[in-house]
Amino acid sequence: MAGLFLWLIPTLFAVIGLIIGLVKGFTRVQTWAGEYVVSAMLTIAIGAILNASGASPTVGGIVIIVCAVVFMLGCMGLSKLFQRIIRRSMEKRDEEMRKYGGVGVINRLWGGLVLAIKGFTIAMLIIVPVYIVLDLAHVESLQNSMAGMYGGGFWRGIKGVAFDFIVIGVMNIAIRHGFSNGISSSFWSLIVFGLAIGAGFMSYHLVFNSGLFASANAALGEVVLGWFGGVNLPGEMQLDGIAASIAKWMITAGLFLLLLIVVMLISFFVSRVLSFARLGSAFYVADGISGAIVMFIIFVGILLFLGYLVQPIADLDFMQPFTSYFNVSTVAKYFYQQNLLSSMGVPALIPLRDWLS
């Protein structure tokens, strides 16, 4: 049953996508899934060539990252170009009062293919991570019931490229999200986050250290003390001291809430200004490209750093269930077993192997 879901659900999603795509046509569908799948397959193929050629981890890792970006951008550009050509051809036929003919057929068929890939991809992005978690969880009852599926050829094929597609997917999201939001929006989000944290520290300092709210603290402390009535505390615990502390924290929370509202109002207006600024094509493109570059560097850096931390223990026994997913990897291995940072000689930050071996 588990194996049936693995191929039946994606197939069902693909059929639904095919039908919807045939109805809508290529010019009216989102093409991100096809671009992602094609660019990922091309990147994995380059990785296989690098494996066969015996390229060093440093060279291989750099080439793979560059190829992933080039193939992503290339597929995005070609897809948008193809949509534009078909759309203009159809608009020209509308102006000339002619039937769409072959262009209309291509538009429908290509739309069906693109949405079929999209449906299949979405289903696999939902199902495969769940199966990976269940595999790594080592729950005996689940392993026994799903042993046939995990031992089958279909899963072994998916297992070999699962993390390749995940790593490339993260790169894809970073580029798309960075371009759509732009560096200005991302940078402003960081500023807002910093202002919110600063509001918390300011509230605490004003209430606990500055003495500015001393009279308010004393007055509210008396009120809080009255809430306790005639409660007797054990030992040396002083009820008035506890009431004073509660009062301070209540004032701190209220002050923080007020400052946070101010921060949110400023954030709202500045965000609107940035949105209006991005309506200009020149600013939109420059801001989007900068955002894509920065977001890509951040996401790839995080992946490399995580792999760099656990790479020293990749060959230990308890890591083998996870490491087995990278045995035939051609992309993700440069983030884990043959981590690019480790191959470039970055020294280990923590002696993780010594602690766990």
Side-chain angles (χ1 to χ4, degrees), residues 170 174 183 186 190 291-305:
V170 170
I183 193 172
S186 301
L190 291 176
I293 293 173
V294 171
M295 195 65 66
F296 178 80
I297 292 173
I298 291 174
F299 274 67
V300 171
I302 291 173
L303 289 178
L304 285 172
F305 182 72

Side-chain angles (χ1 to χ4, degrees), residues 49 58 63 67 88 117 151 153 187 199 208 221 311 319 330 335:
I49 294 174
T58 302
V63 171
C67 286
R88 286 183 175 178
I117 295 174
F187 185 64
F208 282 84
Q311 186 267 345
M319 290 292 292
T330 63
F335 292 80

Side-chain angles (χ1 to χ4, degrees), residues 1 44 86 88 133 139 159 174 199 269 285 308 342:
M1 181 62 69
I44 291 171
I86 293 178
R88 286 183 175 178
V133 171
V139 179
K159 182 177 181 178
F269 286 111
V285 172
Y308 156 76
S342 298

Side-chain angles (χ1 to χ4, degrees), residues 24 34 44 104 107 110 125 189 234 268 291 293 332 336:
K24 296 182 67 174
I44 291 171
N107 180 47
W110 203 252
L125 290 175
S189 298
F268 174 79
I293 293 173
Y336 179 47

Side-chain angles (χ1 to χ4, degrees), residues 42-346:
L42 291 173
T43 305
I44 291 171
I46 294 297
I49 294 174
L50 292 172
N51 281 354
S53 64
S56 67
T58 302
V59 174
I62 293 174
V63 171
I64 279 296
I65 292 175
V66 172
C67 286
V69 175
V70 171
F71 288 140
M72 284 180 210
L73 298 179
C75 289
M76 292 177 194
L78 288 175
S79 182
K80 296 297 182 291
L81 177 62
F82 192 27
Q83 275 189 327
R84 182 176 298 178
I85 291 173
I86 293 178
R87 186 179 294 111
R88 286 183 175 178
S89 180
M90 294 174 67
E91 290 173 352
K92 184 177 180 180
R93 281 167 168 75
D94 285 335
E95 293 172 357
E96 297 175 352
M97 304 293 291
R98 291 192 295 150
K99 293 182 177 180
Y100 292 142
V103 174
V105 174
I106 294 174
N107 180 47
R108 300 289 184 179
L109 292 178
W110 203 252
L113 176 62
V114 168
L115 281 199
I117 295 174
K118 183 178 181 180
F120 185 86
T121 302
I122 291 174
M124 293 297 285
L125 290 175
I126 296 172
I127 294 174
V128 171
V130 174
Y131 276 54
I132 292 175
V133 171
L134 294 177
D135 183 29
L136 297 177
H138 281 276
V139 179
E140 186 175 354
S141 58
L142 289 174
Q143 286 188 317
N144 292 335
S145 62
M146 301 173 69
M149 190 278 294
Y150 283 127
F154 186 55
W155 175 254
R156 287 200 299 270
I158 294 174
K159 182 177 181 178
V161 298
F163 278 90
D164 290 343
F165 273 91
I166 290 174
V167 168
I168 296 171
V170 170
M171 296 183 191
N172 204 305
I173 291 173
I175 291 176
R176 291 177 182 275
H177 180 74
F179 186 83
S180 62
N181 283 356
I183 193 172
S184 58
S185 298
S186 301
F187 185 64
W188 176 242
S189 298
L190 291 176
I191 293 177
V192 171
F193 181 70
L195 289 174
I197 294 177
F201 280 107
M202 180 183 292
S203 302
Y204 177 85
H205 173 73
L206 290 175
V207 175
F208 282 84
N209 299 327
S210 69
L212 185 63
F213 289 86
S215 58
N217 291 336
L220 185 58
E222 292 294 331
V223 175
V224 174
L225 185 62
W227 295 347
F228 288 95
V231 175
N232 295 319
L233 299 179
E236 299 180 354
M237 297 179 63
Q238 299 296 322
L239 190 59
D240 55 346
I242 295 175
S245 296
I246 293 175
K248 287 182 178 181
W249 281 110
M250 290 175 64
I251 295 175
T252 300
L255 184 60
F256 172 69
L257 182 60
L258 290 176
L259 292 175
L260 192 62
I261 291 174
V262 174
V263 170
M264 292 299 103
L265 288 174
I266 294 173
S267 173
F268 174 79
F269 286 111
V270 174
S271 298
R272 298 286 76 76
V273 170
L274 292 176
S275 298
F276 288 132
R278 283 174 61 82
L279 293 176
S281 58
F283 182 83
Y284 179 83
V285 172
D287 188 51
I289 292 175
S290 301
I293 293 173
V294 171
M295 195 65 66
F296 178 80
I297 292 173
I298 291 174
F299 274 67
V300 171
I302 291 173
L303 289 178
L304 285 172
F305 182 72
L306 292 175
Y308 156 76
L309 289 180
V310 299
Q311 186 267 345
I313 62 172
D315 60 336
L316 297 183
D317 290 341
F318 69 89
M319 290 292 292
Q320 289 313 300
F322 179 70
T323 302
S324 64
Y325 279 85
F326 298 82
N327 288 339
V328 295
S329 167
T330 63
V331 176
K333 70 173 186 175
Y334 295 112
F335 292 80
Y336 179 47
Q337 288 166 306
Q338 300 180 24
N339 184 270
L340 182 58
L341 296 179
S342 298
S343 67
M344 295 174 67
V346 178

